[in-house]
Amino acid sequence: MKDTQALINQGRNYLIDGAEYTDSARMCFSKVLNSYHRGLSEEQMCHCAVAAINLSSLYFHYVGDYKSAYEALIKASEISDNLDRPIIAAQIAMNFANIYAIFSHQVESPEFDKLSIDEYHKAFRLASENESWLQTIVTFCNFTSEVQKPEYVRQFTDEIKKFGTLPIPPDNPDFCYAKIRYKSISALLGGDTITAINYLKTQLGSSYDTPNRVIYTHQDLRSISYLYYQTHRLDSALYYAGKLLKFGNKEHNLEAVSDAYCLMERIYQQNGDFDAARMVHTKFLVSQDSILNFQSLGTIDNLKFINDLAAERQKSSILLAESDRQKKLRELIILFSGLLLAITIPLLIVIANRHRRLQASYQDLYNQRQQIIEQESRNRKLRKEHFEAGTIDESGGGRNPDALMVLSILDKSDEVFEPDFSLQTLSELTHIRPRTLSMILNEQLHTTFRDLINQYRVREACEKLSDIANYGQYTIEAISQSVGYKSRTSLITAFKKETGLTPSEYQRIARKKSI
C-alpha cells in the first residue's frame, strides 16, 4: 500500500514538473493499475482506481489520446463498482463529463452535451456534499470553461451560485484561482462580458504549484479570446488567440494549439480576411490530425456503444429469465449487432471523407511552401546581383542596407548549416557587433537570430526533401544533420512550425509529384 501511494504521488509530481515528464508519470500510474486484482483489500483497490483516474487525466489533458483516456476511465469505473467511495465516484464522473464534452465537439451531438452536463452535475454534488474541496474546485473550473456555449454554462446556474457559498478553506492555489473564475462567470451570467474578461486577465501570468496550471491557463486564454470575439473586439480576440497558440506550442498542448487555430479562423472570417482564414483552417486540420486520428474516434464511439450494449444485455437477461430467456437474448444480440453495423458504416464514410480533406490540406500547404521557396530564390538572386555590383542599398525597397547585407551573406554562406553556427559567428562574417546585429534583425527584419536561422535551414531541408532524385534515399535524420540540426526532433519541431507539415509528410508528397 505504501509503495502504490508513493508511486501515485510521484506520478503527480512529474506532471507538476512539466509536459516532458508525461512518460514517467504514465509509468507510475500504470504500474499501480496493473497490480489490480479482486483479492486486494479495499484500500489497495482505491489506490488502483485513483491510479486509473490519474492515467485517464494524463491521456486526456497532456497527451490528447482520448481513446486511452476513455479505456482507463472504464477500468476505474469497474474497480469503483466494488467500493463505497463517493470521492472516487466524483472524480470518475468528472472525467466522463470531460470526455463526453470532447465527443460533443467532435461530432456536434446534443446527446453528448446532455451526458456531459449530467456527469458534471453528479461530480459536483458528490464532491461538495463530501467536502472534497479540491475535486469541487476542479469540477467547477471544468464546466465553467465552456463560455463559447452559453446555454451549456447556464445549465449549471445553481452549482455556480452554490459554489460562492461553500466553506472552502483558502489554503490551496486552486482555490485562489477558482475565486477569480467564480467572479468572472458570475459577471458573464449577469450580462457583463467586459468585467468577466477583466477578471480572467488577472489570472494570466500567475504561477500555481499544481498539475492544473496548464489546464487553467488554456481555459482562460481560450475564454478571453472567444469573449472578445463575441463582443466584436477582433484585434484583442486575435491577440489572445495568438497567446493561446504560443502557450500551446510551449507546453506541447496540442488541444490548445487546435483551439487557437479554430478561434483565429473565426476572427479572420469576421474581419473579411478569407485568405488568412483558409490558411489557418488548414493548420487547424493538421493540428486535429495530431490530436486524434480517425480510427481512434471510431474506436471510442464503438467502445461506448459496446459498453452500453453490455449493460442492456445484462438488464434484458434479468427481465427475460422467467420466459424464454435464450430465444429473446439471441434476438437482442441480432438487433444490437444490426445497430452497431448501422452506426459503424456511416462513421467509416465520415472518416474517409475527412481523411481526403486532410490530404488535400497537406497538398495545399506543400504548394504554398513551394511558392515561398521559388519567391525566396528570386529574392536571393536579386540580392546576389546587387551585392556583387555594390548597389545593395538600392535593392531593398526601403529596407536597411545592413539588413540586406546580412541576408546576402547568409545566402552565400554554408556555415549557417553548421550545428554550432551562432550569433557570434554571424557577427564575424558581417563585421557587425552581436548586439547591433540583434537590433538589425529585430527592427529591420522583424525576427530573431534563431528564427532566421531556422528559416534558412527549413528552406534547405524543403529543397532536399523535394529533390527525390538526389536525396530520395536520405533519412530524415540524415537531412536534419545536413542542414545543421543535431537531432531529428529539432528539425521536426522547426519544420512543422514553418510549414505546417512534418518532414516525412512533405517528402511523401514530393515523391508522389516525382512519379
Side-chain angles (χ1 to χ4, degrees), residues 137-346:
I137 290 168
V138 174
T139 304
F140 170 83
C141 289
N142 281 341
F143 64 65
T144 55
S145 70
E146 298 282 344
V147 297
Q148 69 275 21
K149 299 194 299 188
E151 291 307 314
Y152 182 100
V153 176
R154 290 188 186 281
Q155 298 291 323
F156 301 98
T157 301
D158 292 341
E159 282 83 356
I160 294 168
K161 291 179 179 178
K162 182 178 179 181
F163 185 82
T165 66
L166 293 174
I168 302 176
D171 58 356
N172 67 70
D174 291 82
F175 178 67
C176 296
Y177 172 89
K179 284 194 301 184
I180 305 298
R181 175 72 74 86
Y182 168 75
K183 292 178 181 178
S184 174
I185 203 68
S186 297
L188 185 62
L189 291 175
D192 191 347
T193 304
I194 298 303
T195 298
I197 292 173
N198 290 335
Y199 274 125
L200 291 176
K201 287 165 67 174
T202 63
Q203 301 279 40
L204 298 179
S206 301
S207 177
Y208 303 103
D209 186 21
T210 166
N212 297 318
R213 176 187 61 82
V214 173
I215 300 167
Y216 292 157
T217 305
H218 173 191
Q219 292 174 349
D220 283 347
L221 287 171
R222 180 182 64 191
S223 296
I224 292 169
S225 178
Y226 176 80
L227 291 175
Y228 270 130
Y229 164 80
Q230 190 182 45
T231 54
H232 307 291
R233 291 168 170 81
L234 300 183
D235 288 342
S236 296
L238 189 60
Y239 173 78
Y240 281 96
K243 291 193 70 170
L244 177 59
L245 179 61
K246 290 180 182 178
F247 173 80
N249 286 323
K250 177 184 175 183
E251 297 291 342
H252 308 289
N253 187 326
L254 296 175
E255 189 181 353
V257 171
S258 178
D259 285 346
Y261 284 139
C262 184
L263 285 163
M264 286 177 174
E265 181 184 2
R266 287 187 178 186
I267 296 164
Y268 282 132
Q269 286 179 339
Q270 187 71 21
N271 247 341
D273 190 349
F274 299 109
D275 289 338
R278 280 193 293 272
M279 183 176 294
V280 170
H281 180 69
T282 300
K283 293 182 178 181
F284 168 75
L285 291 178
V286 173
S287 69
Q288 283 288 292
D289 182 53
S290 300
I291 292 175
L292 183 64
N293 65 57
F294 309 123
Q295 290 78 12
S296 292
L297 176 60
T299 303
I300 295 171
D301 203 29
N302 288 335
L303 279 172
K304 178 186 180 301
F305 180 83
I306 291 170
N307 187 51
D308 292 343
L309 172 61
E312 289 298 322
R313 286 179 60 185
Q314 182 179 8
K315 183 194 302 183
S316 298
S317 64
I318 294 173
L319 294 174
L320 301 175
E322 300 299 328
S323 60
D324 206 4
R325 177 176 177 275
Q326 291 298 326
K327 178 181 177 181
K328 292 192 177 182
L329 184 57
R330 284 194 297 269
E331 291 174 354
L332 282 174
I333 292 173
I334 293 172
L335 172 62
F336 284 125
S337 297
L339 288 173
L340 180 60
L341 185 63
I343 290 174
T344 301
I345 292 175

Side-chain angles (χ1 to χ4, degrees), residues 67 353 424 471:
K67 173 182 179 294
N353 289 336
Q424 181 62 41
Y471 294 95

